[in-house]
Amino acid sequence: MVKGIKYKQSGIVWVVSVLLFALLPISLQADALRRGERQIEKDIFRLVNEYREEQGLPALAYNDVLATVAQGHSSDMASGKVAFGHGGFKGRFDAIKQQVSGIRSGAENVAYGAEDAEQVVALWLRSAGHKKNIVGDFTHTGISVVSNDDGTLYFTQLFAKIE
């Protein structure tokens, strides 16, 4: 009998745990998702800099303004507000120049559908245009990863030469 009670209690604890997880506020679930996206952003930053260093190039510094603008573009693509691609890059770059002095040039890599940092960086390195940006004469970068409602990840990496 005691075994049965323990089993029932364990079962009840399991059911309660499942229900609590299922009923977590959406904002907590979104926060957990965003933490995963932030880790992917950090991994992209690390992988791109490792690649640049293997090529004898200096590492890129992280820039919060570039990251914020990248975040806006990734969010817009993920939500369908804008089509996937580089459309509007000039406007994004102009917005960056208004906030950061000394910008000489800029570029952008975008992608969607990769599942992690390794996949997206490998994808970019297989593309001549994206690879050109990764090894380009830039000093700073900002990165954003945003998932849409289906869980598809949208990536934006902005590059700038700041003197």
Side-chain angles (χ1 to χ4, degrees), residues 64-130:
D64 289 332
V65 173
L66 294 173
T68 299
V69 173
Q71 173 76 26
H73 188 50
S74 291
S75 294
D76 288 348
M77 290 188 298
S79 70
K81 182 177 178 182
V82 300
F84 169 76
H86 299 287
F89 172 70
K90 183 182 179 328
R92 286 188 291 283
F93 192 63
D94 288 345
I96 293 166
K97 288 193 292 188
Q98 289 178 0
Q99 298 177 64
V100 179
S101 61
I103 291 192
R104 299 294 173 243
S105 60
E108 173 181 78
N109 284 352
V110 296
Y112 78 97
E115 295 181 7
D116 57 31
E118 290 80 8
Q119 282 184 358
V120 75
V121 171
L123 177 78
W124 284 336
L125 289 173
R126 285 192 303 269
S127 161
H130 293 99

Side-chain angles (χ1 to χ4, degrees), residues 143-156:
I143 303 161
S144 174
V145 179
V146 174
S147 64
N148 69 5
D149 292 340
D150 296 329
T152 301
L153 297 175
Y154 286 77
F155 303 82
T156 303

